[in-house]
Amino acid sequence: MADSLMPTYSRLPVTFERGEGAYLWDANGKQYLDAIAGIAVCSVGHAHPDIAEAIYDQAKKLVHTSNLYQLDLQQRLGEKLCQLSGLKEVFFSNSGAEANEAAIKLARRYASQNNIVNPEIIVVSGSFHGRTLATLSATGNEKIKEGFEPLVSGFIQVPYNDIEAIKTVAKNHPNVVAVLVEPIQGEGGVNIPDEHYLATIRELCNQYNWLMMLDEIQTGMGRTGKWFAFQHTTIKPDVMTLAKALGNGVPIGACIAGEKAAGILTAGTHGSTFGGNPLACRAALTVIDIMEQHDLCQQAQKQGNYLLQQFKAQLGQPQVEHIRGKGLMIGIELTEECTGLVKQALEKGVLINVTAGKVIRLLPPLVIDQQQADQIIATVIELVDTI
Ligand SMILES: *Cc1c(COP(=O)(O)O)cnc(C)c1O
């Protein structure tokens, strides 16, 4: 059936026809509980009526005019994101990789303004930043880069969660201009750094005049129980990127700059035909409305704590190496490869994901209730028992 598609994905043998909240139904009418939400995208649930209504209403008025003109909805979304993050100005893209491309270009431009030639950006092992040439070059996973050489230069990789390694680079590389890191690694296996990691990176960025750039594409928009994961700390980044849950499935990304990084990407230095068009911005504004109305950050925290606590209490098998998470971003690391569990879970009517080979990753919609959380717990426990 998929002969006419490039085989870039090994897809599971299921076709979903419709969704509602945390549920999906396939072409045969079988119901599934979605504990991955289109990879942390559909946070307010599938087919949310307010979003459907907003998209329809907007489509009847205006979908696109380009960034040649003033866009009121883009202005409003920009203001809202600045208000939620405490940052200053936004560039809108259509995806996560493009949001990171904007951040990388911003860092290059920052270097050029400061007369730094051959600038370098510190990145970390196990990271994921996207599939475009620059973002895959920044990504700390050899498999993703393999066969795509020559890569984009200007990235120095250090081990994740290793402050000393960053300090060593600081001493030996006067041309560093930025650090790009995920507050919690998603694709890398739901890896949570030590408590002071981000704050110490912040201090180093201040000391060396680097930009602190956080990739919150997966952790942002309430996933970890705060609007943005950095809000679990007292620091603020200079640049933050968003995408995934921002439009609940309508493609939109954002690169947001704080004081130190504002005013660097000026007219003519960057752009996007579609970026921040009225349809996408209307969807994202509606997502934020729904999240505020239903206090979904709080919900993510509550259900996330419950899931984590239950897993820690009930998953005592020797094949369970580590259970970790923040909000509704949860990883259960097993001692061995377990990608086969995804299909077994599908058969049981629950959608899960396995990343980094042996980490069961759960990213359910932020709207799940206790009973749905219990179903996820029961299914995962049953599956781990089969290992
Ligand atoms: C998904 C993801 C990206 C890439 O986003 P796309 O929309 O697929 O380009 C980048 N960074 C992180 C942390 C992600 O999880």
Side-chain angles (χ1 to χ4, degrees):
M1 188 179 111
D3 292 352
S4 57
L5 302 179
M6 288 193 192
T8 52
Y9 287 92
S10 44
R11 298 168 196 268
L12 289 158
V14 63
T15 307
F16 298 112
E17 248 178 21
R18 67 186 178 92
E20 193 183 317
Y23 292 111
L24 285 167
W25 286 267
D26 71 13
N28 302 318
K30 179 175 168 186
Q31 188 188 65
Y32 300 81
L33 177 60
D34 188 359
I36 184 72
I39 322 181
V41 169
C42 301
S43 279
V44 305
H46 295 284
H48 195 290
D50 294 358
I51 295 179
E53 188 55 45
I55 293 173
Y56 179 47
D57 183 60
Q58 191 57 44
K60 284 188 292 183
K61 286 185 193 154
L62 196 60
V63 170
H64 178 83
T65 59
S66 90
N67 287 299
L68 296 173
Y69 312 102
Q70 305 289 327
L71 294 171
D72 176 55
L73 288 160
Q74 192 182 116
Q75 290 278 353
R76 276 163 54 193
L77 181 59
E79 263 168 46
K80 192 72 204 178
L81 289 173
C82 289
Q83 179 208 321
L84 293 172
S85 64
L87 301 178
K88 207 162 168 229
E89 58 178 37
V90 186
F91 172 84
F92 286 105
S93 66
N94 312 290
S95 66
E98 285 173 273
N100 283 337
E101 285 278 345
I104 293 163
K105 279 185 69 177
L106 192 155
R108 291 273 181 104
R109 193 88 185 163
Y110 173 78
S112 117
Q113 286 182 357
N114 287 288
N115 301 313
I116 295 169
V117 289
N118 296 322
E120 292 182 292
I121 298 173
I122 297 177
V123 293
V124 305
S125 60
S127 63
F128 180 77
H129 299 297
R131 299 285 196 157
T132 61
L133 266 177
T135 59
L136 78 82
S137 302
T139 289
N141 175 342
E142 290 313 308
K143 268 197 221 151
I144 282 174
K145 305 185 201 195
E146 205 183 293
F148 294 110
E149 297 82 3
L151 300 180
V152 174
S153 61
F155 296 103
I156 315 176
Q157 191 184 304
V158 299
Y160 181 56
N161 199 22
D162 186 342
I163 288 292
E164 287 312 310
I166 298 178
K167 287 184 178 167
T168 304
V169 171
K171 281 191 200 119
N172 304 325
H173 295 250
N175 49 346
V176 169
V177 290
V179 179
L180 173 63
V181 66
E182 295 155 85
I184 295 175
Q185 291 187 334
E187 305 306 301
V190 191
N191 301 316
I192 305 176
D194 294 341
E195 199 190 331
H196 299 296
Y197 185 61
L198 293 181
T200 312
I201 290 179
R202 177 71 273 175
E203 279 168 25
L204 290 170
C205 287
N206 293 348
Q207 183 183 342
Y208 291 99
N209 213 20
W210 301 338
L211 297 176
M212 180 176 185
M213 309 204 296
L214 288 182
D215 179 342
E216 292 241 18
I217 289 166
Q218 192 158 146
T219 53
M221 300 306 292
R223 173 59 50 191
T224 71
K226 300 269 186 192
W227 279 103
F228 311 109
F230 77 79
Q231 292 171 332
H232 291 285
T233 74
T234 56
I235 61 111
K236 268 200 296 196
D238 301 306
V239 176
M240 169 174 71
T241 52
L242 298 176
K244 292 205 162 81
L246 182 54
N248 208 56
V250 176
I252 181 168
C255 172
I256 312 181
E259 201 73 47
K260 189 162 141 192
I264 291 174
L265 290 180
T266 51
T269 60
H270 198 43
S272 167
T273 299
F274 292 140
N277 84 15
L279 187 78
C281 290
R282 181 78 186 268
L285 281 164
T286 312
V287 168
I288 295 172
D289 264 359
I290 296 166
M291 291 196 50
E292 285 181 332
Q293 270 170 39
H294 300 275
D295 220 345
L296 289 185
C297 291
Q298 187 65 33
Q299 276 302 308
Q301 221 165 77
K302 186 180 145 201
Q303 295 300 344
N305 284 342
Y306 177 69
L307 279 163
L308 204 59
Q309 191 187 23
Q310 290 300 311
F311 282 132
K312 284 185 173 166
Q314 296 187 54
L315 275 177
Q317 297 90 328
Q319 61 270 34
V320 177
E321 177 88 27
H322 196 213
I323 302 168
R324 52 188 177 253
K326 205 158 199 121
L328 284 170
M329 184 169 184
I330 292 175
I332 300 166
E333 182 169 345
L334 303 187
T335 50
E336 55 191 287
E337 174 82 23
C338 63
T339 43
L341 293 184
V342 174
K343 200 163 169 208
Q344 283 174 251
L346 180 76
E347 280 155 16
K348 292 179 185 296
V350 178
L351 307 182
I352 63 162
N353 175 252
V354 168
T355 192
K358 51 184 188 174
V359 181
I360 300 171
R361 178 173 53 161
L362 303 172
L363 301 162
L366 309 186
V367 295
I368 56 161
D369 60 25
Q370 174 106 9
Q371 182 226 322
Q372 291 164 337
D374 284 331
Q375 190 185 340
I376 295 169
I377 294 160
T379 307
V380 168
I381 289 171
E382 235 178 272
L383 289 171
V384 170
D385 275 334
T386 67
I387 295 267

